[in-house]
Amino acid sequence: MIKFFPEGTTLHGNIPYNNDTLSKHLLDIYLPPNPKGKMPLVVWVHGGGWLVNDKYADMGYMKGTISEMINSGFALASIDYRFASQAVFPALIQDCNRALSFLYDNADKYGFDKNRIALMGFSAGGHLANLMGLSKNNKIDAFFMPNTSKAFTFKAVVDFYGPSDLVSLNSSEDAKSPEGILIGAAPVERPDLAKIASPVTYVDKNDPPFLIIHGEKDESVPNRQSKLLHSWLRVSGVQSELIIVKDAPHFGVMFDAPEIRAKVLVFLKDKLK
């Protein structure tokens, strides 16, 4: 995996973030060569419908963006989390927040600036990144493992085609859909559970700024999910920019195009400066 990264990148691999032996409670940290002072940190949350993939997912088609982030002096941490088939919601968001607690608590060890953290998520990982970023200031105890640090905050969220409102997904009447497996019921039959697990529920004026990127021809997660989140953020007074990528499907190299990469880097540099 390190081959995607610029020469001189340091990898700290498979770090257990929850003091246990679960393979899904591991994260990787990539540090840029020759850091100048404390580094801003971007936390990468992989996609896979809450059911598949791992902390290396989505990197293969985002190589240019990854290289530019490292070359710009950003540290990158990629986290694993339990699948919905192993543990029903809120286990996944508990894992993500636990990983953030670990990164925050160990910031000095790795050279992070604990006050300059951004999230970047893809598809189901976009959902989890959005949920972390939006719910943090709502102090939802159920989203955290007991006795873990909650001191971290987020300066920015970059959301690639993440679901934002589970009830309005096309397959939300099916208990065996990914979102059904996530919450343990068809979202339409349990709108109460779907609401708790939907990022739009937690939008308020105190949320971090968002950059939202979605494919025009996404058939897995309709881009109205991102349009809805963007609108909720805007009406709540939160800075949000939405980019609909012409002709783009659900994921792939079109999201690593130079003009989108430039938008991502400008956003991160501005918010983590």
Side-chain angles (χ1 to χ4, degrees):
M1 182 53 57
I2 197 80
K3 66 183 185 292
F4 291 171
F5 288 75
E7 196 174 336
T9 302
T10 302
L11 167 61
H12 298 277
N14 290 322
I15 303 166
Y17 62 76
N18 192 45
N19 303 322
D20 60 26
T21 55
L22 282 188
S23 63
K24 285 297 170 193
H25 284 164
L26 298 173
L27 57 80
D28 293 335
I29 295 170
Y30 302 88
L31 301 179
N34 310 313
K36 298 169 181 63
K38 290 194 173 177
M39 296 166 280
L41 173 65
V42 178
V43 179
W44 183 283
V45 193
H46 75 79
W50 306 288
L51 295 168
V52 295
N53 289 345
D54 59 26
K55 61 189 186 304
Y56 311 112
D58 304 297
M59 289 187 172
Y61 61 84
M62 296 297 290
K63 292 175 192 171
T65 302
I66 287 172
S67 281
E68 207 156 317
M69 285 196 296
I70 293 286
N71 283 330
S72 299
F74 294 100
L76 185 68
S78 186
I79 63 176
D80 267 332
Y81 50 85
R82 285 171 290 173
F83 295 144
S85 50
Q86 299 170 283
V88 79
F89 190 87
L92 290 79
I93 193 70
Q94 289 175 351
D95 287 359
C96 291
N97 278 325
R98 179 70 185 97
L100 263 296
S101 298
F102 175 89
L103 291 164
Y104 184 88
D105 292 343
N106 290 278
D108 290 344
K109 177 177 177 182
Y110 295 104
F112 309 142
D113 184 338
K114 60 171 65 172
N115 298 310
R116 290 192 291 159
I117 301 174
L119 298 166
M120 183 179 289
F122 299 80
S123 192
H127 162 270
L128 292 167
N130 296 346
L131 199 57
M132 270 193 283
L134 294 167
S135 68
K136 182 63 180 65
N137 65 340
N138 299 76
K139 298 181 168 59
I140 313 292
D141 283 341
F143 285 4
F144 290 85
M145 294 185 187
N147 307 315
T148 57
S149 148
K150 301 175 187 175
F152 57 88
T153 56
F154 304 112
K155 290 286 191 209
V157 181
V158 183
D159 164 27
F160 285 89
Y161 35 85
S164 64
D165 182 29
L166 300 186
V167 166
S168 62
L169 286 166
N170 291 343
S171 50
S172 62
E173 293 183 50
D174 180 4
K176 293 186 171 64
S177 65
E179 62 271 24
I181 295 168
L182 176 69
I183 63 170
V188 166
E189 289 176 10
R190 289 299 305 272
D192 55 330
L193 298 178
K195 184 177 182 181
I196 292 167
S198 292
V200 293
T201 302
Y202 304 98
V203 175
D204 61 54
K205 68 181 191 309
N206 300 313
D207 290 325
F210 269 70
L211 176 62
I212 306 171
I213 302 161
H214 211 121
E216 181 189 32
K217 299 193 169 164
D218 191 330
E219 293 180 1
S220 301
V221 179
N223 63 40
R224 70 169 181 271
Q225 290 281 316
S226 284
K227 291 170 179 169
L228 178 65
L229 175 59
H230 174 65
S231 297
W232 269 118
L233 289 162
R234 295 289 293 269
V235 299
S236 302
V238 179
Q239 184 188 335
S240 176
E241 182 177 1
L242 172 64
I243 300 170
I244 300 293
V245 184
K246 188 176 178 355
D247 294 328
H250 183 56
F251 63 89
V253 292
M254 292 175 84
F255 295 95
D256 197 32
E259 61 274 17
I260 296 172
R261 189 185 317 156
K263 285 269 193 187
V264 171
L265 267 294
V266 165
F267 177 74
L268 289 173
K269 286 174 182 173
D270 180 50
K271 302 309 169 198
L272 297 180
K273 63 176 181 265

